[in-house]
């Protein structure tokens, strides 16, 4: 899976977190592992321009998704092979807007970016929330993916801590070669 990140926002963002949650969401949605995604962070003015141009709505927003036409069901030939790796599209995030939203909601900026990233991925995969039933489905899936991602992160962090503890113990007891651990 290839994810390209570009930060044009002027705001420092936790890119490792965004990459991690995007990869997790794409894998969770069983997207081909060779798929490509682009995530762009923009400032308020750029997001307001995009929002007006593509949605005809004034002012900035938190996230916009631009799926690639080639992924539209039925867009290819009926006798074509099953689709392989493809470009999912672009997710455009506005960190400044997201920070304000996070503060208003009373949760961390990092959590807001994780939510918006998963939200953007789901939009790229065809999910929407224009109708109440669609909204329930999309936001339910979004919540489930985030819960699973947080659990996975905790498990990975715990596993890394145990590995480090074991490595330290082996080194202290002389069972590990100290030269292997020098910088």
């Amino acid at each position: 899976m290839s994810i390209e990140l570009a930060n044009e926002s002027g705001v420092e963002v936790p890119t490792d977190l965004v990459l991690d949650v995007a990869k997790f969401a794409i894998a969770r949605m069983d997207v081909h592992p060779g798929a490509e995604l682009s995530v762009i962070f923009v400032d308020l003015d750029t997001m307001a321009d995009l929002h007006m141009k593509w949605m005809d709505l004034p002012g900035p927003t938190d996230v916009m998704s631009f799926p690639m036409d080639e992924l539209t069901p039925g867009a290819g030939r009926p006798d074509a092979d099953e689709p392989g790796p493809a470009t999912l599209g672009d997710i455009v995030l506005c960190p400044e807007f997201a920070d304000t939203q996070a503060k208003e909601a009373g949760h961390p900026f990092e959590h807001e970016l994780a939510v918006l990233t998963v939200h953007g991925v789901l939009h790229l995969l065809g999910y929407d929330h224009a109708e109440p039933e669609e909204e329930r489905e999309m936001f339910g899936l979004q919540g489930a993916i985030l819960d699973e991602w947080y659990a996975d992160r905790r498990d990975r962090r715990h596993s890394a801590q145990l590995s480090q503890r074991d490595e330290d113990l082996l080194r202290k007891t002389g069972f590990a070669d100290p030269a292997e651990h020098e910088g």
Side-chain angles (χ1 to χ4, degrees):
M1 174 175 321
S2 172
I3 300 176
E4 182 179 320
L5 286 174
N7 188 354
E8 302 168 2
S9 71
V11 174
E12 189 172 326
V13 293
T15 54
D16 288 346
L17 177 134
V18 172
L19 279 170
D20 191 51
V21 73
K23 286 179 182 178
F24 187 89
I26 290 168
R28 166 64 168 72
M29 295 304 295
D30 202 25
V31 174
H32 192 285
E36 297 177 4
L37 170 67
S38 176
V39 179
I40 304 131
F41 301 96
V42 299
D43 60 31
L44 287 168
D45 290 338
T46 302
M47 186 58 103
D49 290 345
L50 290 170
H51 203 211
M52 181 56 85
K53 179 178 181 177
W54 294 102
M55 304 295 290
D56 201 25
L57 295 170
T61 189
D62 49 9
V63 60
M64 292 183 72
S65 297
F66 298 93
M68 297 301 285
D69 291 338
E70 64 192 65
L71 295 178
T72 304
R77 294 175 27 159
D79 61 343
D81 291 333
E82 284 294 312
T87 301
L88 294 177
D90 300 327
I91 297 173
V92 181
L93 294 163
C94 183
E96 193 173 347
F97 195 96
D99 189 45
T100 300
Q101 267 184 178
K103 288 174 181 163
E104 289 172 359
H107 57 244
F109 172 60
E110 292 78 9
H111 175 72
E112 188 71 19
L113 285 178
V115 169
L116 296 175
T117 300
V118 172
H119 191 84
V121 166
L122 291 176
H123 272 308
L124 290 179
L125 297 175
Y127 289 86
D128 201 0
H129 47 85
E131 300 296 326
E133 187 175 314
E134 292 174 335
E135 183 177 357
R136 277 190 298 279
E137 178 184 19
M138 183 175 179
F139 283 88
L141 185 55
Q142 177 179 299
I145 291 170
L146 285 165
D147 288 347
E148 290 170 23
W149 175 68
Y150 277 117
D152 182 67
R153 281 183 72 200
R154 280 190 301 275
D155 291 347
R156 285 184 282 152
R157 192 169 30 248
H158 182 69
S159 181
Q161 289 169 341
L162 291 177
S163 292
Q164 184 62 52
R165 186 191 69 188
D166 291 347
E167 191 176 304
D168 291 345
L169 181 61
L170 288 171
R171 192 174 49 257
K172 287 177 184 174
T173 58
F175 287 105
D177 180 4
E180 290 179 6
H181 305 287
E182 292 178 3

